[in-house]
Amino acid sequence: MNSIALSNEIIDSLKIIIGKEYVFYDAESLQHYGHDETEDLHFAPEIVVKPRTAVEISLILQLAN
């Protein structure tokens, strides 16, 4: 699996789209969201976003594309 480092520009764009309080990239949040409760497996994401509307999801997908 290839990993693409997120640029500050992309992170800033995500903050504009959904608000900085819904964009997480601190170590504690990444550790928390990097596992589920079924097994003891950990795969830390580079960033966690929590969009609240279909419009925000659409804008995030446009940015990802």
Side-chain angles (χ1 to χ4, degrees):
M1 174 184 247
N2 293 336
S3 177
I4 299 171
L6 295 174
S7 69
N8 288 334
E9 181 180 344
I10 292 173
I11 294 171
D12 290 342
S13 295
L14 289 167
K15 288 178 182 178
I16 290 168
I17 292 170
I18 64 173
K20 66 181 181 180
E21 64 273 15
Y22 299 103
V23 177
F24 305 94
Y25 50 95
D26 60 283
E28 183 178 345
S29 293
L30 298 180
Q31 181 180 359
H32 174 72
Y33 287 101
H35 70 92
D36 64 21
E37 302 303 325
T38 59
E39 295 185 43
D40 191 23
L41 301 174
H42 297 276
F43 301 97
E46 291 185 49
I47 194 166
V48 174
V49 295
K50 298 181 89 174
R52 295 158 292 148
T53 67
V55 171
E56 290 174 347
I57 293 167
S58 176
L59 291 171
I60 291 168
L61 291 173
Q62 287 177 23
L63 178 65
N65 191 22

